[in-house]
Amino acid sequence: MSLRLYDTASSEIRDFVPVTPGKVGIYHCGLTVQGPPHIGHIRKEVVFDVLRRWFEHNGHEVTIVANVTDIDDKILVKSAEAGRPWWAWAYENERALDAAYEVLGCLPATYQPRATGHIPEMIELMELLIERGHAYAAEDGSGDVYFDVRSWPSYGELSGQKIDEMEPAADADPRGKRDPRDFALWKGHKGGEPETASWPAPFGRGRPGWHLECSAMAGKYLGDEFDIHGGGIDLRFPHHENELAQSRAAGHPFVRYWMHNGWVTTAGEKMSKSLGNSLLVADVVQRIRPIELRYYLAAPHYRSHVEFSEDALAEAAAAFRRIEGYVVRATEVTTDVRPAADVPSAFRAAMDDDLSVPQALAVLFDTVREGNTLLTSGERVELRSNLASVRAMLGVLGLDPLAEPWLGLGTIGSGGDRLRGAVDVLVHTVLEQRQQARENRDFATADALRDRLKAAGIVVEDNPDGTRWQLADEPGDHGGTN
C-alpha cells in the first residue's frame, strides 16, 4: 500500500514500510484507570481504531496492543480518598473504559495487558539496564531505581530537547538521583502505602514506574522492533521520550513510527480531570448518539486539536445524520446491498495521505450527494453501486449504521439493548462514585455528580432500596440498585 504517515520522531511524513510485509504491530498507550474516561481519552482510541480498520481494509494482519495502567501514584491517591482498595478502584474504572470503547464502536484490541500482570518482565528490563550501565539503584536505601539520562547521549531526540534545558523529572523524590532529570523505573515501597501495591524485587519491594511499564509490555507482545507507537501528543514528553530511551538503551530497535493525536480542548486548554474540564463519555452519550460522538471525534485530522463546544457537537451529529439518512433511504429502495470490496480512488488517496479523514469525508459527502440524485431519478443500478461505495467508506471509519457494532441498535432516533447495557455500566460508575462521596460525607461532590447526570438528561432517584436512574423522557428505569 502507498500509505504515508507523519512520524513525530523525524517531524516528517514518511512512506510506511512495516517490519514484516503484510503485518502491522501497533502499541498505543491506554488509560491510567484513576477515573472513568472522558472524550479526550477516547479520541485516541477512535483515531487508532480508524487506522487499524484502514490497514485491515488493505489486507494487513494487525496486532494492536493497548495497555491498562492499573498501578500508579494517582490511583493510590484517588482510591485512598474514596476509602476503597486500590485494585478495586482501578478495576471499576477499567470496566468503565471498556464500556466506553464498546459504546463508541472501537474494535477490541488484540490484547489489553495490565501493568500489574507484567512485573517479572519489568524487573528483567531493569536488570538489563543496570547491567548495561544505564540505570542504578538509589544509594539512599529507598529501594528506588532510576534511569541515568546522561548515560544515553540521544536522550531528548523524540521531543527535540537538550538534557541541560529540561526540567527535573517530577515522578519521584530527587534525593536518591544522580541527576534531577533521571526518571524512576522502580519506586520503593513507602510507609503508609498499601502492602498489596508492592512486589518483591532484587532492589527491594516496590512498584514500577509508569514509563517502564509500556516498554516491557510492548516488547513482550510486539517484539524488540515494531511498527507504530501512538498516543496523545501530551505523551511525547516525558512518557514516550523515556520509553524510547530505556528501550534503545536496552539494545532494542523499538519503534519505526511515532504517531501522536491532538487534544480535545475546552476554552483552549487540554481536557483533563485535574483541570476539572473533562466531559465523561457516560455523560455525552446521553445527549448525543454514540455513533454521532464517534463521527465528531473521527472527523477532524488526527493531529489537530479539537475545541469542544455543544454547537460543534450538534453540527457533527447533523452532518452524520445526512449521511445516515441517505443510507437508510437507499437501503429501503435497493435492499441487501453489501459494502463494495474497495473504496473510491479519491477516498483511498486521502486516507493514504497521513490518514486525512477530513479529505476522505469530502469524498464521502460528494458520493452521498450523487446518491441522493440517483434516488430522485430512479436509477436503481447506479444507486446500488453508489450505496455500496458509501458503505465501504463508512466501514473504514467505523460508521456504517448497517454493520456491527451499530447493526441492531436502529438508525436515527432509536436505541438498543446492547447500547443501553454499555451506557448502564458508564452511568453506574458515576453513581458508585457518588455513593462513595455520600458515605464519606462529601456532599458537595455527591451533589455535583448528581447535577452532572441531570444535565445529561439522567434522573437519579434515591430510595430505601438504593439508587436508580432513568432517562428524563422515559417512563421506565434502567438497572437496579446501587
Side-chain angles (χ1 to χ4, degrees):
M1 63 189 299
S2 56
L3 176 64
R4 291 169 57 80
L5 293 172
Y6 182 85
D7 173 32
T8 309
S10 63
S11 299
E12 295 178 345
I13 294 179
R14 299 170 49 207
D15 291 337
F16 177 75
V17 180
V19 175
T20 304
K23 296 184 178 182
V24 181
I26 302 173
Y27 185 97
H28 60 86
C29 292
L31 193 63
T32 298
V33 285
Q34 57 170 309
H38 57 65
I39 64 172
H41 296 134
I42 296 301
R43 185 190 182 196
K44 184 263 298 181
E45 307 304 329
V46 172
V47 164
F48 283 93
D49 188 63
V50 171
L51 177 65
R52 172 194 187 163
R53 289 171 184 267
W54 184 234
F55 277 125
E56 291 181 342
H57 177 82
N58 287 283
H60 284 68
E61 179 186 335
V62 179
T63 299
I64 189 162
V65 178
N67 73 293
V68 172
T69 296
D70 60 340
I71 182 66
D72 182 81
D73 293 347
K74 294 176 181 178
I75 292 172
L76 296 182
V77 170
K78 296 279 188 181
S79 61
E81 290 174 349
R84 301 276 302 282
W86 65 270
W87 43 265
W89 183 264
Y91 182 57
E92 173 185 306
N93 288 303
E94 182 183 341
R95 288 175 58 229
L97 177 64
D98 289 341
Y101 291 167
E102 181 178 0
V103 82
L104 289 184
C106 295
L107 298 170
T110 310
Y111 193 56
Q112 186 172 291
R114 294 182 183 136
T116 54
H118 298 79
I119 303 299
E121 291 85 353
M122 297 174 198
I123 292 174
E124 287 180 8
L125 180 55
M126 280 188 287
E127 290 179 324
L128 178 59
L129 288 169
I130 291 172
E131 178 185 320
R132 293 172 69 98
H134 297 297
Y136 59 94
E139 297 178 357
D140 60 358
S142 62
D144 295 344
V145 178
Y146 297 104
F147 183 86
D148 183 351
V149 296
R150 293 198 179 273
S151 75
W152 188 248
S154 297
Y155 187 69
E157 62 183 316
L158 182 61
S159 55
Q161 300 184 80
K162 296 180 180 178
I163 292 178
D164 290 332
E165 297 172 355
M166 295 178 184
E167 295 292 325
D171 60 351
D173 191 314
R175 66 175 183 269
K177 297 182 178 182
R178 295 174 181 171
D179 187 291
R181 301 160 189 85
D182 292 349
F183 58 87
L185 299 173
W186 188 255
K187 297 184 177 185
H189 180 68
K190 299 176 178 61
E193 292 181 348
E195 188 73 16
T196 55
S198 65
W199 290 262
F203 341 101
R205 285 195 72 88
R207 55 189 168 84
W210 177 34
H211 316 299
L212 179 75
E213 298 171 356
C214 287
S215 285
M217 289 185 283
K220 177 165 185 174
Y221 296 104
L222 295 173
D224 291 344
E225 182 180 21
F226 57 96
D227 299 302
I228 296 171
H229 194 318
I233 189 62
D234 53 314
L235 297 185
R236 182 181 183 182
F237 185 87
H239 185 47
H240 288 167
E241 186 75 70
N242 293 350
E243 275 191 72
L244 177 62
Q246 66 198 9
S247 297
R248 291 266 178 89
H252 305 151
F254 205 42
V255 181
R256 287 198 172 190
Y257 302 84
W258 289 90
M259 289 182 66
H260 292 97
N261 61 276
W263 295 334
V264 177
T265 60
T266 52
E269 290 189 284
K270 170 196 169 187
M271 190 170 289
S272 167
K273 292 187 183 72
S274 61
L275 295 177
N277 62 357
S278 59
L279 291 156
L280 299 182
V281 176
D283 295 345
V284 179
V285 296
Q286 292 301 318
R287 59 182 187 268
I288 185 174
R289 291 186 302 149
I291 196 171
E292 294 166 352
L293 178 56
R294 181 183 173 98
Y295 177 91
Y296 169 77
L297 295 173
H301 193 279
Y302 75 90
R303 286 192 282 122
S304 65
H305 293 321
V306 177
E307 174 66 18
F308 178 83
S309 72
E310 293 293 343
D311 288 344
L313 195 62
E315 289 172 6
F320 178 74
R321 289 184 183 203
R322 290 196 295 273
I323 299 170
E324 185 182 26
Y326 163 71
V327 171
V328 170
R329 292 191 302 273
T331 299
E332 290 172 349
V333 171
T334 59
T335 69
D336 195 30
V337 172
R338 309 298 301 165
D342 203 358
V343 294
S345 59
F347 183 93
R348 172 173 292 282
M351 295 296 288
D352 279 347
D353 183 16
D354 192 30
L355 216 66
S356 183
V357 172
Q359 295 302 315
L361 284 174
V363 177
L364 175 58
F365 275 106
D366 285 345
T367 310
V368 167
R369 279 191 289 271
E370 294 169 2
N372 282 322
T373 300
L374 293 169
L375 268 172
T376 303
S377 67
E379 298 288 342
R380 296 295 180 260
V381 174
E382 291 87 346
L383 179 62
R384 291 180 66 87
S385 176
N386 178 280
L387 177 58
S389 290
V390 167
R391 289 197 61 194
M393 289 184 278
L394 288 171
V396 166
L397 302 175
L399 290 168
D400 183 355
L402 304 183
E404 292 290 349
W406 316 112
L407 183 64
L409 301 183
T411 50
I412 300 172
S414 62
D417 291 341
R418 183 180 175 193
L419 171 61
R420 292 188 187 282
V423 172
D424 187 65
V425 172
L426 293 169
V427 173
H428 271 79
T429 298
V430 178
L431 289 177
E432 287 167 5
Q433 292 178 346
R434 174 175 175 265
Q435 179 63 26
Q436 189 65 53
R438 294 173 69 193
E439 291 175 1
N440 293 340
R441 304 189 66 79
D442 184 1
F443 298 114
T445 297
D447 290 345
L449 290 170
R450 180 173 183 146
D451 290 344
R452 174 178 280 181
L453 291 172
K454 182 178 179 181
I458 298 170
V459 177
V460 176
E461 298 177 355
D462 295 314
N463 56 60
D465 296 324
T467 301
R468 304 178 75 85
W469 71 272
Q470 65 183 53
L471 297 181
D473 58 353
E474 268 188 31
D477 70 67
H478 310 280
T481 59
N482 184 51

